[in-house]
Amino acid sequence: MIGISILGSTGSIGKSTLDVLARHPDRYQVVALSANSDVDGMYRQCLAHRPQLVAMADEASAEALASLLADEAGEIHVLSGIAGLKAVATHESAEQVMAAIVGAAGLVPVLAAVEAGKRILLANKEALVVAGGLFMDAVRRHGVTVLPIDSEHNAVFQCMPEGYEQGLDGKGVRRILLTASGGPFRTTPAQELATVTPEQACAHPNWDMGRKISVDSATMMNKGLEVIEAHWLFGAAPEHIQVVIHPQSVIHSMVEYVDGSVLAQLGNPDMRTPIAHALAWPERIDSGVASLDLFSVARLDFEKPDLERFPCLRLAFRAIEEGGSMPAILNAANEVAVAAFLDGRSGFMDIPRVIEQTMDSLRGQPADSLKVLLEADALARETAERLLTPKVT
Ligand code: NAD
Ligand code: MG
């Protein structure tokens, strides 16, 4: 039996992971789960999957869960806060850790899993955006395997040459072609973007995801974060990563080689495919995903991204070029601006404005310690909050 811990089990990726695991009860055992504050969701998961340990980041939620689980006679241990998340990430019976917390909040727990030598199934792209250099150093130092869950990076992983982890030099890779659906506003005129609502932004044409990543897809910051993620995971320079709009989301990404070969991974847009791939790698298991019906797909289209209507993509390239703590600043400002948009406190086009102004007003520092990066994250959050409300003169 392979023991699995899931960080962020009540979210979209967490639930899809449990769906795949439930198809293979003879192969996998759920040993630990974590969430932020969804007590009812976690209670149901506890009854269905019987983990040994659960952690709620929120203290009051942990207390509420513990009282719901009182009848379980202490079989399911409940912890809280960052210590609880770390305990889930490092549980001795877990061989693999699914990192599916949303946002920079996932960084410290996933680093704990790396330091404990676990195989990492990485959905939490913000961890790599904030601290890609430190994260990959820790991965090498502890000799752990990282399997990307983000569908594009999972596709690239499947198309990469053997030994790419030691560097791309001499491997014949010319570039990575990162596909993007273009999101719900792919064809929306610029002047209409200022007034779109959170509901419109979260209505993604191809994928059913958490609300934060849905807004990121709508602004195309998601693709920007993914460029930074690909840079760290595959050691690729930003100029060797091309974003390609592909509205059908059937090709999940491609790798082009110097001989002109382009390898692609295709499939229905369902996260259970990359999740099952990473869980079983290097083997293959059933994911519950239907066969790809190419006759109903019928055609595959490609477009260039529009950096005028989607400035977030340009800002992400700027952040990776400036380097150091600037990607952490970009990410934190984005988290604040997206949360404000989802709460109805600001407009859709305030998202790129607040991010750019935050980046303009802060200086990036060398990203040589977690402390520097967490301080940059905190300062960028404060700055972005202030920039959300225009100054009254
Ligand atoms: P979600 O919002 O549906 O779920 C997030 C999970 O994290 C929940 O279990 C929540 O309780 C937990 N969480 C939130 N804030 C927390 C905090 N402060 N401390 C501890 N736990 C916290 O998000 P999602 O769509 O499942 O996305 C998870 C991650 O996977 C994100 O980084 C996202 O970019 C990435 N991802 C998601 C998809 C997708 O299809 N949903 C695809 C690719 C990558
Ligand atoms: Mg993706």
Side-chain angles (χ1 to χ4, degrees):
M1 285 291 240
I2 300 170
I4 312 278
S5 277
I6 306 178
L7 294 163
S9 64
T10 57
S12 159
I13 293 288
K15 286 182 195 155
S16 294
T17 304
L18 287 168
D19 179 284
V20 176
L21 293 174
R23 291 165 195 275
H24 304 278
D26 47 337
R27 186 179 170 118
Y28 299 105
Q29 187 175 15
V30 176
V31 298
L33 299 174
S34 88
N36 187 22
S37 57
D38 179 1
V39 175
D40 292 342
M42 183 57 97
Y43 180 59
R44 283 195 300 275
Q45 291 186 346
C46 284
L47 297 186
H49 299 279
R50 313 290 317 171
Q52 298 164 36
L53 172 68
V54 293
M56 302 301 288
D58 176 63
E59 305 278 341
S61 303
E63 277 173 33
L65 181 69
S67 62
L68 282 176
L69 287 171
D71 289 351
E72 304 306 317
E75 273 178 37
I76 303 178
H77 196 51
V78 182
L79 295 177
S80 67
I82 188 71
L85 300 179
K86 282 188 181 177
V88 168
T90 59
H91 194 287
E92 60 174 6
S93 305
E95 273 171 60
Q96 307 187 6
V97 175
M98 167 59 79
I101 291 175
V102 61
L107 174 61
V108 168
V110 73
L111 276 176
V114 171
E115 281 158 16
K118 308 299 186 188
R119 177 189 276 200
I120 308 293
L121 280 53
L122 187 70
N124 178 211
K125 66 191 85 187
E126 296 91 346
L128 272 185
V129 172
V130 174
L134 291 182
F135 184 93
M136 296 311 286
D137 283 349
V139 162
R140 281 184 280 270
R141 209 169 46 247
H142 295 279
V144 305
T145 302
V146 178
L147 293 155
I149 296 298
D150 216 345
S151 58
E152 297 76 5
H153 305 74
N154 185 270
V156 170
F157 177 89
Q158 295 196 46
C159 298
M160 270 286 169
E162 229 169 274
Y164 79 86
E165 306 89 333
Q166 279 82 51
L168 286 183
D169 282 355
K171 298 286 190 314
V173 172
R174 184 180 280 157
R175 56 184 182 153
I176 290 172
L177 298 160
L178 211 58
T179 53
S181 68
F185 306 134
R186 180 175 60 86
T187 59
T188 305
Q191 65 274 21
E192 288 174 26
L193 286 176
T195 54
V196 297
T197 65
E199 282 56 47
Q200 288 170 304
C202 289
H204 196 279
N206 305 335
W207 301 94
D208 180 12
M209 310 181 287
R211 282 167 76 78
K212 191 262 177 183
I213 185 179
S214 296
V215 176
D216 285 348
S217 299
T219 61
M220 288 206 68
M221 178 55 93
N222 184 48
K223 212 48 53 179
L225 300 178
E226 290 184 359
V227 168
I228 301 175
E229 183 184 11
H231 163 70
W232 290 116
L233 280 176
F234 305 115
E239 59 272 23
H240 293 152
I241 304 172
Q242 168 78 59
V243 173
V244 180
I245 306 286
H246 163 49
Q248 292 88 359
S249 297
V250 165
I251 296 180
H252 298 308
S253 278
M254 297 167 262
V255 175
E256 182 183 325
Y257 286 82
V258 289
D259 61 5
S261 300
V262 178
L263 302 192
Q265 185 259 1
L266 288 73
N268 286 320
D270 186 323
M271 289 307 293
R272 291 177 302 172
T273 294
I275 289 168
H277 169 266
L279 281 168
W281 184 84
E283 294 173 25
R284 297 273 180 177
I285 54 170
D286 175 34
S287 63
V289 175
S291 256
L292 176 63
D293 180 356
L294 282 173
F295 300 111
S296 69
V297 172
R299 52 182 283 180
L300 301 175
D301 295 309
F302 305 98
E303 297 164 10
K304 277 194 179 157
D306 177 349
L307 299 185
E308 295 292 316
R309 277 185 312 135
F310 299 103
C312 286
L313 193 51
R314 172 176 57 77
L315 294 172
F317 274 100
R318 174 182 152 191
I320 193 68
E321 268 146 31
E322 291 185 23
S325 59
M326 197 47 88
I329 293 169
L330 166 102
N331 178 71
N334 181 55
E335 288 191 28
V336 167
V338 169
F341 171 67
L342 283 171
D343 287 352
R345 284 190 287 132
S346 64
F348 186 72
M349 293 310 288
D350 286 324
I351 299 172
R353 174 185 66 79
V354 164
I355 298 166
E356 185 154 31
Q357 291 176 349
T358 304
M359 290 170 73
D360 288 345
S361 57
L362 298 177
R363 290 172 83 89
Q365 304 291 329
D368 40 22
S369 73
L370 191 58
K371 184 169 173 280
V372 166
L373 293 169
L374 295 178
E375 280 170 7
D377 172 277
L379 185 58
R381 279 171 204 270
E382 267 173 43
T383 309
E385 277 300 349
R386 216 168 345 99
L387 289 164
L388 271 171
T389 349
K391 252 190 277 174
V392 185
T393 46

